[in-house]
Amino acid sequence: MADLTGAKWRKSTRSGSNGGDCVEVADNLPGLVAVRDSKDSAGPVLTFTPTAWASFIQATKIGH
């Protein structure tokens, strides 16, 4: 399991303000990007390499 000590979580810019489906991202950790459901901050966390995360973001921007 990844060490998330010091993670600075921020709400995704694409998350709505209505309390619905929100994603939080911590991209301040060396070599790691962590993603979690903001409604369950103690729940599971997905982790990605920065390269994999950048590829995912790019793919979603172009509609894949």
Side-chain angles (χ1 to χ4, degrees):
M1 180 175 200
D3 181 11
L4 300 178
T5 304
K8 294 181 182 175
W9 296 97
R10 63 179 173 80
K11 191 182 225 184
S12 168
T13 57
R14 297 288 188 191
S15 292
S17 59
N18 63 359
D21 298 328
C22 300
V23 172
E24 291 180 323
V25 177
D27 55 6
N28 67 303
L29 302 168
L32 181 73
V33 177
V35 182
R36 70 181 182 186
D37 181 346
S38 65
K39 295 181 302 303
D40 186 10
S41 62
V45 174
L46 298 174
T47 57
F48 302 88
T49 65
T51 302
W53 182 249
S55 294
F56 171 75
I57 295 299
Q58 184 62 30
T60 59
K61 286 181 179 180
I62 60 174
H64 288 288

